Amino acid sequence: MRAGGAKFITFEGIDGAGKSSQIEGLVRYLAGRGCEVVQTREPGGTPLGERLRELVLHEAMDLETEALLMFAARREHLAQRILPALAAGKWVVCDRFSDATYAYQVGGRGLAEEKFRTLEAWVHPGFQPDRTFLFDLPAKVAASRVARATDRPDRFEREQAEFFERVRAAYLGRADADPGRFCVIAADRSRETIASAIEADAATWFR
Ligand code: TYD
């Protein structure tokens, strides 16, 4: 249980799954309930984290360097923003967290799972989001959304559908392993339907 009943909520899914507008919607919903909310993202969320984000999204690098930089940015984010906010009773809504490293670096790129577990246990021992909305949809559908929305694709967005199918499978595996934390959202439905599903879930936090 966190200070004042606040929660750490994350949004996950392959690129093009449509998380962004739903994050805004949940933040508005929580604010309407009188919660103080910190909205943030990974990689990023701090000045140093945003600089690391620019590097991991646009510079070619070794796979293990990529995983280490994701966790370095995360450590800074936890220390500077996430943990202080939760300690002060604020809610934290974050676009991606360690599930993304599991899905992209382990599932997509093939990083050894054991290395991921070591980094996770180092950077946030015993700490996980309270609720994770996983936006799930076929990689081909997501790719056509990304192609429409982006004119300067980053290193991840340039990957092929097979990469994203591996990422998707890794996400679903992680959700299966922790059904109490994950809420899997079928993301090929309308924006309104998805928003209602998220609000219905969020309403249970206030009962
Ligand atoms: P995102 O912010 O969702 O991208 P956009 O701003 O284009 O919507 O995520 C940035 C990218 O970083 C996304 O392709 C997933 C990738 N990523 C990882 O590979 N590992 C990680 O640990 C995180 C947090 C993100």
Side-chain angles (χ1 to χ4, degrees):
M1 194 62 178
R2 310 210 189 273
K7 290 187 190 297
F8 176 39
I9 297 151
T10 57
F11 282 71
E12 299 283 357
I14 59 176
D15 291 77
K19 298 173 274 113
S20 306
S21 62
Q22 302 296 341
I23 292 174
E24 305 282 341
L26 179 65
V27 167
R28 274 197 305 276
Y29 173 85
L30 291 172
R33 288 271 187 168
C35 305
E36 261 198 89
V37 188
V38 172
Q39 182 185 343
T40 186
R41 69 172 180 181
E42 291 208 348
T46 65
L48 175 61
E50 291 294 328
R51 290 173 71 180
L52 293 172
R53 176 188 178 93
E54 199 45 39
L55 290 173
V56 287
L57 294 193
H58 298 289
E59 292 283 328
M61 65 183 69
D62 170 74
L63 153 65
E64 306 214 352
T65 309
E66 182 180 285
L68 288 164
L69 289 180
M70 294 295 182
F71 270 107
R74 181 160 303 131
R75 180 61 225 160
E76 189 68 10
H77 195 200
L78 281 160
Q80 303 294 344
R81 284 195 80 193
I82 298 175
L83 297 176
L86 292 171
K90 296 177 188 163
W91 292 61
V92 178
V93 177
C94 190
D95 188 348
R96 303 190 184 281
F97 192 64
S98 291
D99 299 313
T101 315
Y102 181 82
Y104 281 78
Q105 278 66 53
V106 177
R109 300 252 200 253
L111 177 77
E113 181 163 349
E114 196 192 325
K115 292 184 177 170
F116 166 83
R117 300 234 176 257
T118 303
L119 291 172
E120 188 185 40
W122 178 7
V123 168
H124 53 94
F127 177 87
Q128 288 293 345
D130 299 300
R131 193 71 165 145
T132 297
F133 293 103
L134 171 57
F135 283 49
D136 181 56
L137 84 173
K140 286 224 160 77
V141 181
S144 65
R145 290 187 187 174
V146 169
R148 258 181 281 132
T150 320
D151 50 9
R152 183 182 164 239
D154 63 39
R155 288 175 58 236
F156 296 100
E157 290 162 340
R158 287 198 299 268
E159 289 290 343
Q160 302 300 310
E162 301 79 67
F163 174 85
F164 287 107
E165 280 303 346
R166 291 199 299 279
V167 174
R168 180 188 187 197
Y171 266 133
L172 289 172
R174 196 137 156 109
D176 267 352
D178 196 353
R181 170 162 72 88
F182 278 88
C183 175
V184 180
I185 300 277
D188 52 358
R189 297 173 299 166
S190 76
R191 218 178 252 207
E192 295 71 31
T193 309
I194 294 171
S196 319
I198 293 172
E199 274 198 23
D201 192 73
T204 65
W205 306 335
F206 297 93
R207 277 188 202 134

